[in-house]
């Protein structure tokens, strides 16, 4: 289904709101830990908002979409994810309004600004709006997102101004309680109801595992007796994006590797994506066994996700699987690949 593009009136309202938000400068008295929620009237999803800029480096407003989006925010706040961590690429789920340099904008961004008759100059002065969705490159907003982000920015200014006068305005910051503003349309105006809501964040991460078909296991174990060097098995999120079609939103591919841990020989390499990488990694693992007609004496893995995915299959095949802090053979290969690409 093709998304509806924002009208120039939609963009005008968003840019005007962003300009006023920048003038307010609420990052001078708010931290990114001062979280509040604003419900999206089009789908009732809550956007969990935080103001960024108190450190004087990056200025903006992030709106984390739903519980999944808020969970990523919590993981960053708790130090589980570091800024720049590749996992953020596949976990981030938010709308972002930020203030950048001119060269950070695309021709499409600058055309909208020009068509609106707006002018910006200087460092961290150019409004930039993007949606961040798991697995995808940050992208332009559709009509519904522009309208919602406009509403969020406008209400955030009111919330920030009241918080400046009363640091207790957002309520107690404990027991997973977050103040949420719920909009209701009365005639042509929005009327806001404020509730202190309990937000239940699922603890830990959910991992999948693969159980091989019993007939396949019996067939492979009866046909293959040879044991060879240990393997390093992993997937790596590529920093370079790809698109299936010209003009489509790019996504971050997963690179899947099976490598001989002693010789560094690449036994299998392939590409996948966020939505299929688990199945593709299992296929790579079993295909390599069949192709070489041999089992590895041991499997070395780095990430918890790969360990959980392979542990049942490895046990079925009688292969020891060992978590490692590093996978030297894959790291060396990735270092060479990055040098060639960048």
């Amino acid at each position: 289904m093709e998304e509806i593009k924002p009208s120039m009136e939609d963009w005008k309202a968003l840019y005007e709101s962003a300009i006023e938000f920048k003038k307010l400068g609420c990052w001078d008295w708010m931290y990114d830990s001062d979280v509040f929620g604003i419900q999206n009237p089009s789908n009732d999803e809550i956007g969990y908002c935080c103001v960024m800029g108190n450190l004087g480096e990056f200025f903006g407003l992030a709106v984390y979409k739903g519980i999944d989006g808020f969970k990523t925010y919590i993981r960053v706040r708790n130090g589980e994810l570091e800024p720049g961590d590749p996992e953020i690429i596949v976990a981030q789920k938010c709308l972002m309004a930020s203030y950048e340099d001119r060269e950070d904008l695309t021709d499409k961004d600058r055309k909208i600004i020009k068509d609106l008759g707006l002018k910006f100059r200087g460092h961290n002065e150019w409004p930039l709006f993007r949606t961040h969705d798991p697995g995808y490159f940050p992208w332009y907003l559709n009509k519904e997102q522009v309208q919602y982000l406009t509403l969020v920015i406008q209400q955030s200014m009111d919330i920030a101004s009241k918080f400046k006068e009363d640091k207790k305005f957002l309520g107690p910051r404990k027991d997973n309680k977050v103040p949420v503003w719920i909009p209701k349309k009365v005639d042509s105006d929005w009327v806001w109801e404020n509730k202190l809501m309990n937000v239940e964040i699922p603890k830990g991460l959910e991992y999948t595992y693969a159980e091989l078909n019993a007939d396949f296991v019996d067939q492979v174990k009866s046909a293959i007796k040879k044991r060879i060097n240990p393997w390093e098995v992993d997937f790596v999120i590529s920093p370079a994006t790809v698109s299936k079609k010209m003009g489509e939103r790019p996504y971050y591919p997963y690179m899947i590797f099976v490598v001989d841990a002693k010789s560094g020989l690449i036994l299998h390499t392939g590409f996948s994506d966020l939505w299929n990488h688990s199945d593709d990694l299992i296929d790579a693992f079993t295909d390599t066994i069949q192709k070489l007609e041999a089992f590895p004496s041991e499997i070395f893995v780095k990430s918890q996700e790969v360990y959980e995915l392979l542990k049942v299959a490895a046990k079925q095949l009688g292969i020891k699987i060992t978590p490692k802090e590093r996978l030297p053979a894959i790291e060396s290969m990735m270092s060479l690949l990055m040098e060639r690409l960048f």
Side-chain angles (χ1 to χ4, degrees), residues 232-234 236 255-259 268-269 330 333-334 337:
E232 293 180 4
V233 180
D234 203 4
V236 179
M255 297 180 286
I256 295 175
F257 298 108
V258 180
V259 180
H268 179 95
T269 182
I330 291 180
M333 181 181 57
M334 282 301 301
L337 181 59

Side-chain angles (χ1 to χ4, degrees), residues 159-177:
I159 293 169
S161 298
K162 290 176 180 175
F163 181 73
K164 184 180 182 181
E165 301 301 321
D166 179 8
K167 291 300 185 287
K168 296 181 180 180
F169 180 68
L170 293 180
R173 303 177 202 175
K174 60 181 181 179
D175 300 328
N176 295 327
K177 293 189 182 299

Side-chain angles (χ1 to χ4, degrees), residues 47-198:
Y48 297 92
C49 310
C50 69
V51 175
M52 298 170 291
N54 195 269
L55 297 178
E57 297 174 356
F58 180 86
F59 301 89
L61 177 69
V63 187
Y64 293 92
K65 296 184 282 187
I67 293 298
D68 289 341
F70 192 47
K71 186 175 181 179
T72 303
Y73 163 83
I74 295 296
R75 292 183 66 198
V76 173
R77 288 286 306 169
N78 292 344
E80 296 176 37
L81 291 175
E82 298 287 338
D85 190 318
E87 192 177 341
I88 291 182
I89 291 173
V90 297
Q92 190 89 299
K93 188 178 181 182
C94 71
L95 298 179
M96 185 77 71
S98 60
Y99 301 90
E100 311 289 351
D101 297 345
R102 186 182 189 278
E103 55 268 24
D104 296 320
L105 278 64
T106 65
D107 289 342
K108 183 175 180 178
D109 297 315
R110 289 190 286 267
K111 184 178 187 304
I112 293 171
I113 291 172
K114 182 179 179 181
D115 290 347
L116 289 172
L118 300 173
K119 293 183 179 180
F120 302 97
R121 296 186 67 179
H123 180 54
N124 291 333
E125 291 293 337
W126 295 71
L128 179 67
F129 311 106
R130 290 291 186 268
T131 176
H132 296 251
D133 298 288
Y136 286 105
F137 186 73
W139 206 236
Y140 307 101
L141 307 189
N142 61 31
K143 185 180 185 69
E144 183 274 324
Q145 290 166 338
V146 166
Q147 292 176 343
Y148 174 54
L149 187 55
T150 302
L151 187 68
V152 168
I153 293 174
Q154 291 171 349
Q155 182 62 12
S156 295
M157 286 189 282
D158 182 65
I159 293 169
S161 298
K162 290 176 180 175
F163 181 73
K164 184 180 182 181
E165 301 301 321
D166 179 8
K167 291 300 185 287
K168 296 181 180 180
F169 180 68
L170 293 180
R173 303 177 202 175
K174 60 181 181 179
D175 300 328
N176 295 327
K177 293 189 182 299
V178 175
V180 175
W181 275 261
I182 300 169
K184 292 183 179 179
K185 203 67 172 288
V186 177
D187 296 327
S188 59
D189 297 321
W190 290 107
V191 175
W192 295 90
E193 178 186 1
N194 175 224
K195 291 183 179 180
L196 195 61
M197 300 181 66
N198 190 57

